[in-house]
mmCIF file of all heavy atoms in Angstrom:
data_model
loop_
_atom_site.group_PDB
_atom_site.id
_atom_site.type_symbol
_atom_site.label_atom_id
_atom_site.label_comp_id
_atom_site.label_asym_id
_atom_site.label_seq_id
_atom_site.Cartn_x
_atom_site.Cartn_y
_atom_site.Cartn_z
ATOM 1 N N LEU B 290 -4.542 -19.185 17.599
ATOM 2 C CA LEU B 290 -4.314 -18.730 16.229
ATOM 3 C C LEU B 290 -5.650 -18.628 15.483
ATOM 4 O O LEU B 290 -5.876 -17.700 14.692
ATOM 5 C CB LEU B 290 -3.374 -19.698 15.505
ATOM 6 C CG LEU B 290 -2.897 -19.218 14.140
ATOM 7 C CD1 LEU B 290 -2.106 -17.921 14.258
ATOM 8 C CD2 LEU B 290 -2.037 -20.274 13.463
ATOM 9 N N ALA B 291 -6.538 -19.569 15.767
ATOM 10 C CA ALA B 291 -7.839 -19.587 15.080
ATOM 11 C C ALA B 291 -8.584 -18.269 15.290
ATOM 12 O O ALA B 291 -9.322 -17.826 14.412
ATOM 13 C CB ALA B 291 -8.667 -20.760 15.589
ATOM 14 N N LEU B 292 -8.376 -17.637 16.441
ATOM 15 C CA LEU B 292 -9.087 -16.379 16.707
ATOM 16 C C LEU B 292 -8.704 -15.302 15.691
ATOM 17 O O LEU B 292 -9.516 -14.472 15.301
ATOM 18 C CB LEU B 292 -8.775 -15.875 18.121
ATOM 19 C CG LEU B 292 -9.186 -16.816 19.256
ATOM 20 C CD1 LEU B 292 -8.762 -16.242 20.605
ATOM 21 C CD2 LEU B 292 -10.702 -17.045 19.237
ATOM 22 N N TYR B 293 -7.444 -15.343 15.243
ATOM 23 C CA TYR B 293 -6.981 -14.346 14.262
ATOM 24 C C TYR B 293 -7.592 -14.597 12.883
ATOM 25 O O TYR B 293 -7.550 -13.738 12.021
ATOM 26 C CB TYR B 293 -5.456 -14.394 14.134
ATOM 27 C CG TYR B 293 -4.720 -13.913 15.369
ATOM 28 C CD1 TYR B 293 -4.630 -14.707 16.512
ATOM 29 C CD2 TYR B 293 -4.102 -12.663 15.391
ATOM 30 C CE1 TYR B 293 -3.952 -14.271 17.634
ATOM 31 C CE2 TYR B 293 -3.415 -12.225 16.509
ATOM 32 C CZ TYR B 293 -3.345 -13.037 17.632
ATOM 33 O OH TYR B 293 -2.677 -12.595 18.740
ATOM 34 N N LEU B 294 -8.090 -15.813 12.700
ATOM 35 C CA LEU B 294 -8.558 -16.210 11.372
ATOM 36 C C LEU B 294 -10.083 -16.241 11.291
ATOM 37 O O LEU B 294 -10.646 -16.826 10.374
ATOM 38 C CB LEU B 294 -7.971 -17.579 11.021
ATOM 39 C CG LEU B 294 -6.443 -17.564 10.910
ATOM 40 C CD1 LEU B 294 -5.880 -18.975 10.858
ATOM 41 C CD2 LEU B 294 -6.000 -16.782 9.677
ATOM 42 N N ARG B 295 -10.739 -15.606 12.256
ATOM 43 C CA ARG B 295 -12.192 -15.525 12.179
ATOM 44 C C ARG B 295 -12.584 -14.752 10.915
ATOM 45 O O ARG B 295 -11.783 -13.974 10.393
ATOM 46 C CB ARG B 295 -12.739 -14.864 13.448
ATOM 47 C CG ARG B 295 -12.686 -15.822 14.639
ATOM 48 C CD ARG B 295 -13.143 -15.177 15.918
ATOM 49 N NE ARG B 295 -12.115 -14.308 16.494
ATOM 50 C CZ ARG B 295 -12.177 -13.810 17.740
ATOM 51 N NH1 ARG B 295 -13.202 -14.097 18.522
ATOM 52 N NH2 ARG B 295 -11.211 -13.034 18.195
ATOM 53 N N PRO B 296 -13.813 -14.962 10.442
ATOM 54 C CA PRO B 296 -14.199 -14.426 9.129
ATOM 55 C C PRO B 296 -14.022 -12.912 8.985
ATOM 56 O O PRO B 296 -13.860 -12.425 7.870
ATOM 57 C CB PRO B 296 -15.678 -14.792 9.013
ATOM 58 C CG PRO B 296 -15.910 -15.870 9.993
ATOM 59 C CD PRO B 296 -14.864 -15.775 11.052
ATOM 60 N N ASP B 297 -14.046 -12.186 10.091
ATOM 61 C CA ASP B 297 -13.890 -10.737 9.960
ATOM 62 C C ASP B 297 -12.502 -10.271 10.419
ATOM 63 O O ASP B 297 -12.305 -9.114 10.774
ATOM 64 C CB ASP B 297 -14.991 -10.003 10.741
ATOM 65 C CG ASP B 297 -15.047 -10.418 12.204
ATOM 66 O OD1 ASP B 297 -14.336 -11.390 12.578
ATOM 67 O OD2 ASP B 297 -15.787 -9.787 12.977
ATOM 68 N N GLU B 298 -11.535 -11.202 10.465
ATOM 69 C CA GLU B 298 -10.169 -10.807 10.846
ATOM 70 C C GLU B 298 -9.190 -11.148 9.715
ATOM 71 O O GLU B 298 -9.455 -10.809 8.568
ATOM 72 C CB GLU B 298 -9.803 -11.445 12.189
ATOM 73 C CG GLU B 298 -10.730 -10.933 13.312
ATOM 74 C CD GLU B 298 -10.176 -11.149 14.696
ATOM 75 O OE1 GLU B 298 -8.953 -11.222 14.853
ATOM 76 O OE2 GLU B 298 -10.996 -11.243 15.632
ATOM 77 N N TYR B 299 -8.076 -11.797 10.017
ATOM 78 C CA TYR B 299 -7.083 -12.086 8.970
ATOM 79 C C TYR B 299 -7.606 -13.115 7.974
ATOM 80 O O TYR B 299 -8.364 -14.017 8.340
ATOM 81 C CB TYR B 299 -5.794 -12.622 9.593
ATOM 82 C CG TYR B 299 -4.965 -11.538 10.247
ATOM 83 C CD1 TYR B 299 -5.030 -11.309 11.607
ATOM 84 C CD2 TYR B 299 -4.132 -10.736 9.471
ATOM 85 C CE1 TYR B 299 -4.277 -10.302 12.201
ATOM 86 C CE2 TYR B 299 -3.383 -9.737 10.055
ATOM 87 C CZ TYR B 299 -3.457 -9.519 11.415
ATOM 88 O OH TYR B 299 -2.722 -8.533 11.983
ATOM 89 N N HIS B 300 -7.129 -13.008 6.741
ATOM 90 C CA HIS B 300 -7.470 -14.016 5.743
ATOM 91 C C HIS B 300 -6.597 -15.247 5.914
ATOM 92 O O HIS B 300 -6.953 -16.341 5.525
ATOM 93 C CB HIS B 300 -7.237 -13.454 4.334
ATOM 94 C CG HIS B 300 -8.072 -12.260 4.034
ATOM 95 N ND1 HIS B 300 -7.710 -10.981 4.413
ATOM 96 C CD2 HIS B 300 -9.262 -12.147 3.410
ATOM 97 C CE1 HIS B 300 -8.646 -10.131 4.019
ATOM 98 N NE2 HIS B 300 -9.590 -10.802 3.408
ATOM 99 N N GLN B 301 -5.438 -15.033 6.491
ATOM 100 C CA GLN B 301 -4.436 -16.090 6.497
ATOM 101 C C GLN B 301 -3.398 -15.782 7.577
ATOM 102 O O GLN B 301 -3.251 -14.630 7.976
ATOM 103 C CB GLN B 301 -3.742 -16.068 5.144
ATOM 104 C CG GLN B 301 -3.068 -17.312 4.730
ATOM 105 C CD GLN B 301 -2.603 -17.240 3.290
ATOM 106 O OE1 GLN B 301 -1.906 -16.313 2.908
ATOM 107 N NE2 GLN B 301 -2.977 -18.217 2.499
ATOM 108 N N SER B 302 -2.698 -16.819 7.997
ATOM 109 C CA SER B 302 -1.602 -16.591 8.941
ATOM 110 C C SER B 302 -0.423 -17.456 8.515
ATOM 111 O O SER B 302 -0.618 -18.557 7.997
ATOM 112 C CB SER B 302 -2.061 -16.997 10.340
ATOM 113 O OG SER B 302 -0.935 -17.131 11.169
ATOM 114 N N PHE B 303 0.766 -16.969 8.734
ATOM 115 C CA PHE B 303 1.926 -17.826 8.489
ATOM 116 C C PHE B 303 1.883 -18.995 9.464
ATOM 117 O O PHE B 303 1.467 -18.848 10.607
ATOM 118 C CB PHE B 303 3.244 -17.080 8.752
ATOM 119 C CG PHE B 303 3.562 -16.023 7.751
ATOM 120 C CD1 PHE B 303 4.001 -14.781 8.180
ATOM 121 C CD2 PHE B 303 3.444 -16.253 6.395
ATOM 122 C CE1 PHE B 303 4.324 -13.790 7.269
ATOM 123 C CE2 PHE B 303 3.763 -15.266 5.480
ATOM 124 C CZ PHE B 303 4.198 -14.031 5.916
ATOM 125 N N ASN B 304 2.357 -20.127 8.979
ATOM 126 C CA ASN B 304 2.476 -21.304 9.818
ATOM 127 C C ASN B 304 3.960 -21.671 9.776
ATOM 128 O O ASN B 304 4.461 -22.141 8.763
ATOM 129 C CB ASN B 304 1.594 -22.393 9.202
ATOM 130 C CG ASN B 304 1.797 -23.747 9.825
ATOM 131 O OD1 ASN B 304 2.520 -23.888 10.800
ATOM 132 N ND2 ASN B 304 1.163 -24.751 9.254
ATOM 133 N N PHE B 305 4.650 -21.430 10.887
ATOM 134 C CA PHE B 305 6.106 -21.615 10.892
ATOM 135 C C PHE B 305 6.520 -23.010 11.378
ATOM 136 O O PHE B 305 7.700 -23.251 11.612
ATOM 137 C CB PHE B 305 6.767 -20.563 11.783
ATOM 138 C CG PHE B 305 6.578 -19.151 11.291
ATOM 139 C CD1 PHE B 305 5.915 -18.212 12.061
ATOM 140 C CD2 PHE B 305 7.074 -18.762 10.053
ATOM 141 C CE1 PHE B 305 5.749 -16.903 11.616
ATOM 142 C CE2 PHE B 305 6.916 -17.459 9.592
ATOM 143 C CZ PHE B 305 6.247 -16.528 10.380
#
Side-chain angles (χ1 to χ4, degrees):
L290 189 61
L292 299 177
Y293 292 75
L294 296 168
R295 285 177 282 192
D297 55 352
E298 297 199 26
Y299 284 97
H300 299 84
Q301 202 171 53
S302 164
F303 290 135
N304 170 6
F305 296 119

